[in-house]
Amino acid sequence: MPTLASATVGARLWLLIEHNGAWPSHLESFEHTEKFSGINKLVRRALERGIRPQLIRRPGKRTRPQEQGIRVLLAYAVGDHPWLAGGVIAGPDDLDLDALVAGVVPESCILEDEPVFLVCTHAKRNVCCARIGLPLARSLADSLPDRVWETSHVGGDRYAANLVCLPHGIFYGSMSQAAALAAANAYRSGEVILDRYRGRAGIPEPLQAVEHFARAHTGECSVGAVAVESSRSDGDVTVAIVRCGDVRLQVVVEPSAFTAPCGTACAETITTYRLVSLDRLAPVRYATSALA
């Protein structure tokens, strides 16, 4: 099953909330009880501001004690300079989410200098996420202690196990334990691996496809080396000008239907993208007019 151009479009700002208890199927339906009122309010405040809330917990036993207060991580996955910050807050009103929206680290948090890796293990959304994701999360945590979290639904259950690399919001799907470790190590080195790469969250799917084909053509793997300079749509066709390292390309993509091969239980038509054309553009040359 193709994974390209399937990262969650509406996730440029992230709020991760540690919660070791049971997770509801949908975060917006979190229990309205005194015990969970702080988490519920944080989730609601995040959704009101267009921030993606996620529940997280360390891989392993569910009975581990949770520290006083609410542990949070925030990711600003926008542009060329994303950041990740964390802290422990006393209550939901002690976190300035408007600062996150503005791209500023809230006073209650400090910047983190290492990325974090989220593995979806949300069984109440899809049992495959837990069946495949749980052992993957534990294996990855063995190699990268304190940087790996189990997380609630990230989107794209059909791609379980899903891995998200923050702060950039890089998505991978259909991950094996070996593939997850390779992707995580590549990201820590500032690179992406195209194998099982779903795309970068917060970017329209056609432009995720454009990035994928540009990387595949040039071999460019640096996280920040590919940028869409301009794009336009003509019906279902998307035409984009892409800078890929020192190369500029015109990339044209269009939707393509893909039928899942796993039988009637999963029979559905999945929209992916196909490359229509890719052309290398001549370098821009600036002429100096002759002096009169």
Side-chain angles (χ1 to χ4, degrees):
M1 180 186 301
T3 59
L4 69 96
S6 62
T8 302
V9 172
R12 295 167 65 85
L13 310 171
W14 297 71
L15 169 62
L16 315 179
I17 308 165
E18 184 177 12
H19 178 61
N20 294 326
W23 295 345
S25 60
H26 294 76
L27 266 61
E28 56 269 26
S29 63
F30 210 96
E31 294 181 63
H32 291 267
T33 65
E34 183 176 351
K35 180 180 179 181
F36 301 127
S37 60
I39 293 176
N40 180 274
K41 187 172 182 180
L42 267 178
V43 169
R44 188 171 66 251
R45 290 183 61 219
L47 291 172
E48 288 170 352
R49 290 162 174 79
I51 299 170
R52 171 98 184 196
Q54 297 284 143
L55 297 180
I56 58 173
R57 60 192 172 209
R58 290 294 188 192
K61 296 180 180 179
R62 299 287 176 266
T63 56
R64 56 177 285 131
Q66 190 154 325
E67 59 189 305
Q68 293 295 317
I70 305 171
R71 177 170 175 75
V72 296
L73 289 165
L74 295 90
Y76 184 76
V78 180
D80 296 332
H81 302 287
W83 50 260
L84 181 74
V88 178
I89 58 175
D93 295 320
D94 297 319
L95 182 61
D96 185 358
L97 292 178
D98 292 324
L100 173 60
V101 173
V104 178
V105 178
E107 291 183 0
S108 55
C109 297
I110 59 173
L111 282 173
E112 304 234 343
D113 57 6
E114 285 284 335
V116 297
F117 303 96
L118 309 180
V119 178
C120 181
T121 60
H122 201 168
K124 288 187 178 178
R125 290 297 291 264
N126 189 305
V127 69
C128 290
C129 292
R131 180 177 59 83
I132 307 173
L134 282 168
L136 188 147
R138 292 167 183 160
S139 173
L140 193 59
D142 287 341
S143 299
L144 299 170
D146 300 325
R147 307 317 301 169
V148 179
W149 297 87
E150 295 179 21
T151 192
S152 53
H153 178 67
V154 297
D157 297 330
R158 66 175 70 94
Y159 302 111
N162 282 295
L163 174 70
V164 182
C165 310
L166 292 174
H168 281 84
I170 300 295
F171 272 58
Y172 288 92
S174 303
M175 298 300 275
S176 66
Q177 294 180 20
L181 182 58
N185 284 333
Y187 183 64
R188 295 177 74 213
S189 299
E191 298 182 344
V192 298
I193 294 175
L194 279 189
D195 180 37
R196 315 184 200 210
Y197 179 56
R198 292 182 57 191
R200 183 175 177 182
I203 298 174
E205 289 180 354
L207 299 187
Q208 292 182 40
V210 164
E211 178 204 347
H212 179 98
F213 292 121
R215 288 186 183 277
H217 177 76
T218 62
E220 180 60 65
C221 57
S222 175
V223 171
V226 179
V228 176
E229 295 182 344
S230 64
S231 65
R232 61 180 173 84
S233 297
D234 183 4
D236 287 338
V237 175
T238 298
V239 181
I241 305 300
V242 188
R243 184 176 297 279
C244 200
D246 296 328
V247 176
R248 294 177 73 245
L249 307 168
Q250 177 177 278
V251 185
V252 182
V253 300
E254 67 180 5
S256 175
F258 174 84
T259 302
C262 52
T264 57
C266 298
E268 58 178 322
T269 299
I270 299 166
T271 298
T272 184
Y273 290 85
R274 77 174 191 91
L275 179 64
V276 176
S277 65
L278 187 151
D279 298 293
R280 187 172 296 219
L281 302 178
V284 176
R285 300 184 184 277
Y286 296 95
T288 303
S289 58
L291 295 175

